[in-house]
Amino acid sequence: MSAGAVARMIEDLERRGGLKGSDIANVTDTSKATVSRWRAGAIKPQPRNELILADLAYVVNRLSEFYADDEIRLWLYARHPQLNGERALDLIHERRALEVLNVINRLDSEVYL
């Protein structure tokens, strides 16, 4: 993934997902300054963080099909019964995004959360 692609992804997460630099720093276990450097295209994330960012971007994109931008951040931080009381952002951090996507897929089946 190029530095420019990462920068666009972060801008999209902030715009569409309502996420802040501190949210992205927390989910990737980095500092806000590091996220700022990614956004500026000055450096690229390590491969593990590229995967986390890609998963987060995919989840935010899927959520945007059902929720407004300002609701997505809340959804990511809320504890969900269908995630055994865990937060989606924590699961994405732990590279368990598929569990989050399974819940989102239920929205396609009109099972509202």
mmCIF file of all heavy atoms in Angstrom, residues 21-40:
data_model
loop_
_atom_site.group_PDB
_atom_site.id
_atom_site.type_symbol
_atom_site.label_atom_id
_atom_site.label_comp_id
_atom_site.label_asym_id
_atom_site.label_seq_id
_atom_site.Cartn_x
_atom_site.Cartn_y
_atom_site.Cartn_z
ATOM 1 N N GLY A 21 -7.911 11.187 14.857
ATOM 2 C CA GLY A 21 -6.555 10.643 14.849
ATOM 3 C C GLY A 21 -6.276 9.799 16.075
ATOM 4 O O GLY A 21 -5.615 8.755 15.987
ATOM 5 N N SER A 22 -6.807 10.205 17.212
ATOM 6 C CA SER A 22 -6.590 9.436 18.442
ATOM 7 C C SER A 22 -7.286 8.075 18.380
ATOM 8 O O SER A 22 -6.766 7.083 18.898
ATOM 9 C CB SER A 22 -7.062 10.221 19.663
ATOM 10 O OG SER A 22 -8.426 10.569 19.541
ATOM 11 N N ASP A 23 -8.451 7.994 17.713
ATOM 12 C CA ASP A 23 -9.132 6.705 17.548
ATOM 13 C C ASP A 23 -8.281 5.759 16.706
ATOM 14 O O ASP A 23 -8.110 4.584 17.042
ATOM 15 C CB ASP A 23 -10.489 6.892 16.856
ATOM 16 C CG ASP A 23 -11.447 7.769 17.630
ATOM 17 O OD1 ASP A 23 -11.481 7.670 18.871
ATOM 18 O OD2 ASP A 23 -12.164 8.561 16.986
ATOM 19 N N ILE A 24 -7.755 6.290 15.618
ATOM 20 C CA ILE A 24 -6.930 5.478 14.719
ATOM 21 C C ILE A 24 -5.640 5.075 15.423
ATOM 22 O O ILE A 24 -5.182 3.938 15.292
ATOM 23 C CB ILE A 24 -6.667 6.238 13.405
ATOM 24 C CG1 ILE A 24 -7.998 6.464 12.680
ATOM 25 C CG2 ILE A 24 -5.669 5.486 12.524
ATOM 26 C CD1 ILE A 24 -7.935 7.441 11.531
ATOM 27 N N ALA A 25 -5.075 5.991 16.207
ATOM 28 C CA ALA A 25 -3.859 5.666 16.971
ATOM 29 C C ALA A 25 -4.138 4.542 17.967
ATOM 30 O O ALA A 25 -3.332 3.618 18.113
ATOM 31 C CB ALA A 25 -3.346 6.914 17.692
ATOM 32 N N ASN A 26 -5.276 4.603 18.638
ATOM 33 C CA ASN A 26 -5.612 3.565 19.622
ATOM 34 C C ASN A 26 -5.794 2.199 18.978
ATOM 35 O O ASN A 26 -5.297 1.198 19.499
ATOM 36 C CB ASN A 26 -6.873 3.940 20.400
ATOM 37 C CG ASN A 26 -6.636 5.076 21.369
ATOM 38 O OD1 ASN A 26 -5.515 5.313 21.796
ATOM 39 N ND2 ASN A 26 -7.692 5.786 21.700
ATOM 40 N N VAL A 27 -6.506 2.145 17.871
ATOM 41 C CA VAL A 27 -6.785 0.851 17.242
ATOM 42 C C VAL A 27 -5.514 0.244 16.638
ATOM 43 O O VAL A 27 -5.393 -0.972 16.542
ATOM 44 C CB VAL A 27 -7.931 0.945 16.216
ATOM 45 C CG1 VAL A 27 -7.479 1.559 14.913
ATOM 46 C CG2 VAL A 27 -8.568 -0.402 15.969
ATOM 47 N N THR A 28 -4.548 1.086 16.277
ATOM 48 C CA THR A 28 -3.300 0.583 15.695
ATOM 49 C C THR A 28 -2.168 0.535 16.708
ATOM 50 O O THR A 28 -1.056 0.152 16.350
ATOM 51 C CB THR A 28 -2.865 1.441 14.494
ATOM 52 O OG1 THR A 28 -2.729 2.802 14.907
ATOM 53 C CG2 THR A 28 -3.845 1.321 13.336
ATOM 54 N N ASP A 29 -2.441 0.931 17.941
ATOM 55 C CA ASP A 29 -1.415 0.928 18.990
ATOM 56 C C ASP A 29 -0.218 1.812 18.640
ATOM 57 O O ASP A 29 0.932 1.419 18.811
ATOM 58 C CB ASP A 29 -0.927 -0.497 19.273
ATOM 59 C CG ASP A 29 -1.211 -0.940 20.686
ATOM 60 O OD1 ASP A 29 -1.684 -0.107 21.486
ATOM 61 O OD2 ASP A 29 -0.969 -2.119 20.989
ATOM 62 N N THR A 30 -0.517 2.993 18.111
ATOM 63 C CA THR A 30 0.529 3.958 17.776
ATOM 64 C C THR A 30 0.182 5.295 18.422
ATOM 65 O O THR A 30 -0.806 5.407 19.132
ATOM 66 C CB THR A 30 0.650 4.148 16.250
ATOM 67 O OG1 THR A 30 -0.598 4.617 15.744
ATOM 68 C CG2 THR A 30 1.039 2.864 15.540
ATOM 69 N N SER A 31 0.978 6.304 18.135
ATOM 70 C CA SER A 31 0.714 7.639 18.667
ATOM 71 C C SER A 31 -0.080 8.467 17.661
ATOM 72 O O SER A 31 -0.121 8.150 16.465
ATOM 73 C CB SER A 31 2.034 8.345 18.979
ATOM 74 O OG SER A 31 2.718 8.636 17.768
ATOM 75 N N LYS A 32 -0.684 9.550 18.143
ATOM 76 C CA LYS A 32 -1.394 10.462 17.248
ATOM 77 C C LYS A 32 -0.414 11.077 16.251
ATOM 78 O O LYS A 32 -0.767 11.325 15.105
ATOM 79 C CB LYS A 32 -2.104 11.562 18.036
ATOM 80 C CG LYS A 32 -3.315 11.070 18.794
ATOM 81 C CD LYS A 32 -4.153 12.189 19.371
ATOM 82 C CE LYS A 32 -3.384 13.018 20.369
ATOM 83 N NZ LYS A 32 -4.188 14.027 21.059
ATOM 84 N N ALA A 33 0.837 11.296 16.701
ATOM 85 C CA ALA A 33 1.855 11.859 15.811
ATOM 86 C C ALA A 33 2.151 10.909 14.652
ATOM 87 O O ALA A 33 2.336 11.344 13.508
ATOM 88 C CB ALA A 33 3.125 12.166 16.598
ATOM 89 N N THR A 34 2.181 9.623 14.938
ATOM 90 C CA THR A 34 2.416 8.634 13.876
ATOM 91 C C THR A 34 1.278 8.664 12.871
ATOM 92 O O THR A 34 1.501 8.647 11.657
ATOM 93 C CB THR A 34 2.582 7.228 14.476
ATOM 94 O OG1 THR A 34 3.737 7.225 15.319
ATOM 95 C CG2 THR A 34 2.738 6.170 13.402
ATOM 96 N N VAL A 35 0.053 8.721 13.358
ATOM 97 C CA VAL A 35 -1.101 8.796 12.458
ATOM 98 C C VAL A 35 -1.021 10.065 11.618
ATOM 99 O O VAL A 35 -1.312 10.036 10.414
ATOM 100 C CB VAL A 35 -2.430 8.714 13.247
ATOM 101 C CG1 VAL A 35 -3.632 8.958 12.333
ATOM 102 C CG2 VAL A 35 -2.549 7.378 13.952
ATOM 103 N N SER A 36 -0.587 11.160 12.210
ATOM 104 C CA SER A 36 -0.425 12.416 11.459
ATOM 105 C C SER A 36 0.607 12.257 10.351
ATOM 106 O O SER A 36 0.425 12.771 9.243
ATOM 107 C CB SER A 36 -0.009 13.556 12.391
ATOM 108 O OG SER A 36 -1.065 13.878 13.257
ATOM 109 N N ARG A 37 1.684 11.540 10.630
ATOM 110 C CA ARG A 37 2.712 11.310 9.604
ATOM 111 C C ARG A 37 2.174 10.404 8.503
ATOM 112 O O ARG A 37 2.500 10.593 7.334
ATOM 113 C CB ARG A 37 3.985 10.751 10.236
ATOM 114 C CG ARG A 37 4.740 11.799 11.062
ATOM 115 C CD ARG A 37 6.140 11.359 11.452
ATOM 116 N NE ARG A 37 6.184 10.270 12.413
ATOM 117 C CZ ARG A 37 6.134 10.413 13.746
ATOM 118 N NH1 ARG A 37 6.047 11.622 14.265
ATOM 119 N NH2 ARG A 37 6.186 9.374 14.541
ATOM 120 N N TRP A 38 1.344 9.421 8.871
ATOM 121 C CA TRP A 38 0.708 8.584 7.846
ATOM 122 C C TRP A 38 -0.193 9.431 6.970
ATOM 123 O O TRP A 38 -0.190 9.319 5.752
ATOM 124 C CB TRP A 38 -0.132 7.473 8.469
ATOM 125 C CG TRP A 38 0.605 6.416 9.216
ATOM 126 C CD1 TRP A 38 1.938 6.120 9.151
ATOM 127 C CD2 TRP A 38 0.032 5.488 10.149
ATOM 128 N NE1 TRP A 38 2.229 5.069 9.988
ATOM 129 C CE2 TRP A 38 1.075 4.655 10.615
ATOM 130 C CE3 TRP A 38 -1.244 5.283 10.641
ATOM 131 C CZ2 TRP A 38 0.875 3.630 11.537
ATOM 132 C CZ3 TRP A 38 -1.449 4.272 11.555
ATOM 133 C CH2 TRP A 38 -0.402 3.446 11.995
ATOM 134 N N ARG A 39 -0.993 10.300 7.617
ATOM 135 C CA ARG A 39 -1.934 11.156 6.895
ATOM 136 C C ARG A 39 -1.190 12.097 5.949
ATOM 137 O O ARG A 39 -1.653 12.383 4.842
ATOM 138 C CB ARG A 39 -2.783 11.967 7.864
ATOM 139 C CG ARG A 39 -3.893 12.740 7.179
ATOM 140 C CD ARG A 39 -4.708 13.637 8.113
ATOM 141 N NE ARG A 39 -5.195 12.993 9.301
ATOM 142 C CZ ARG A 39 -4.706 13.211 10.548
ATOM 143 N NH1 ARG A 39 -3.705 14.039 10.731
ATOM 144 N NH2 ARG A 39 -5.226 12.602 11.577
ATOM 145 N N ALA A 40 -0.026 12.571 6.372
ATOM 146 C CA ALA A 40 0.769 13.486 5.552
ATOM 147 C C ALA A 40 1.539 12.744 4.459
ATOM 148 O O ALA A 40 2.123 13.373 3.571
ATOM 149 C CB ALA A 40 1.740 14.263 6.443
#
